[in-house]
Amino acid sequence: VNAEDSVGGCLIVMNDNHKLVEWLAYNYHVMPMRHLIIIEDPKSTQNIDRILNRWDGRMDITRWTDDHLFANTSFNASQ
C-alpha cells in the first residue's frame, strides 16, 4: 500500500488492551491505516507497549502524552 492509498488515525486508550489488538489489526488490513497517533490515558493501568511493538516496521505509530495536549498544567489530568 502506498502513502496515497493509506489513512491515518488518532486514538485515545484506557485499559482496552483486549480491544486494541483487534482494532489495530482491523484498521491496518481494512482501511488500510499506516499512521496512528495514540494517546494513553494517564489513569490507565494497562501497558500497551507489547501490543504496539508488534506493529514496528508496518505502521508509523506516534505516542502522545497529555503533555502534548495541554500546555497549561492546570488542565493536566495526571496531576
Side-chain angles (χ1 to χ4, degrees), residues 10-66:
C10 184
L11 180 67
I12 299 174
V13 295
M14 180 175 168
N15 298 331
D16 286 325
N17 284 11
H18 58 291
K19 295 178 184 176
L20 181 59
V21 172
E22 183 177 351
W23 189 90
L24 287 168
Y26 176 86
N27 284 283
Y28 177 82
H29 291 287
V30 175
M31 293 307 289
M33 185 172 62
R34 297 298 185 264
H35 306 279
L36 175 66
I37 295 172
I38 190 162
I39 305 160
E40 192 172 6
D41 189 290
K43 295 178 184 171
S44 182
T45 59
Q46 296 179 343
N47 189 312
I48 61 174
D49 292 342
R50 290 179 63 194
I51 295 170
L52 297 183
N53 288 343
R54 296 177 188 175
W55 295 96
D56 283 351
R58 296 184 187 135
M59 189 183 310
D60 175 32
I61 299 177
T62 303
R63 293 179 72 166
W64 282 6
T65 64
D66 51 342

